[in-house]
Amino acid sequence: FARRPTANFQEGDLNALVSATVAPFAENNPTVVFQVITERRLPALMFDPEQLRGVLINLLDNAVAAAMSDEGVRRRASGEQPRITVRTGYDRRRKVASLEVADNGPGVKPSDRVRIFEPYFTTKQGGTGLGLAVVTSVISDHQGEIRLYDNNPHGAKF
């Protein structure tokens, strides 16, 4: 965690990175519905493709775990499928790109929200608690920020 490599910024296509990263998740998780919604007018951006791929992989891993959780299985019994939506966006006025990963799992407990981005905090059995801390660090290196929202009617959105 302390010795992450320096970001290697280069011009890239965030939509292409998202599509290429989500595809294997969809293939390896056939019971989960993956939806990718990309901003068509997203300009080329400066980012480290490997670091952002790592961010997206971490968020997708967490989303799959949430969507496939016991609560997700109970919803599936009532007809709702586990679903993950990945969305890119661009605010032309502010010149800010966004990447959103949302799931329909149980969401994040209110008591965990204040600590979820802290190093070594985990709710996963056998987890290290470094995933979202590294994600936060990478996003900060890209002059961005990460936020957690409720995904109504249930789930989490990062």
Side-chain angles (χ1 to χ4, degrees):
F1 178 64
R3 294 192 184 112
R4 279 189 322 99
T6 304
N8 179 21
F9 291 97
Q10 50 194 276
E11 190 171 88
D13 181 345
L14 182 61
N15 289 337
L17 178 83
V18 166
S19 295
T21 306
V22 172
F25 275 87
E27 186 176 314
N28 293 329
N29 298 282
T31 60
V32 178
V33 175
F34 284 84
Q35 181 179 23
V36 176
I37 304 167
T38 56
E39 170 65 56
R40 289 188 202 122
R41 298 173 308 206
L42 189 67
L45 302 168
M46 294 298 292
F47 60 88
D48 181 315
E50 291 309 309
Q51 287 189 359
L52 278 191
R53 181 176 289 108
V55 163
L56 188 53
I57 287 170
N58 185 279
L59 294 174
L60 287 167
D61 278 338
N62 290 347
V64 167
M68 298 301 291
S69 67
D70 290 343
E71 184 174 323
V73 169
R74 283 192 296 278
R75 274 201 305 281
R76 210 167 33 258
S78 68
E80 184 179 353
Q81 290 184 282
R83 177 178 300 276
I84 295 170
T85 303
V86 182
R87 179 186 318 262
T88 61
Y90 188 69
D91 182 331
R92 291 204 176 293
R93 186 177 51 75
R94 293 177 37 226
K95 296 182 181 180
V96 173
S98 61
L99 171 62
E100 176 182 287
V101 177
D103 65 68
N104 66 345
V108 178
K109 294 177 190 174
S111 59
D112 293 342
R113 287 176 171 267
V114 295
R115 299 197 55 214
I116 196 161
F117 298 112
E118 291 178 9
Y120 309 111
F121 176 78
T122 185
T123 60
K124 291 182 182 177
Q125 181 107 21
T128 64
L130 292 178
L132 288 176
V134 170
V135 163
T136 301
S137 180
V138 168
I139 291 173
S140 177
D141 288 350
H142 285 75
Q143 284 81 50
E145 57 186 290
I146 186 166
R147 297 183 185 140
L148 165 63
Y149 298 98
D150 290 329
N151 187 28
N152 292 320
H154 41 75
K157 188 184 321 185
F158 289 84

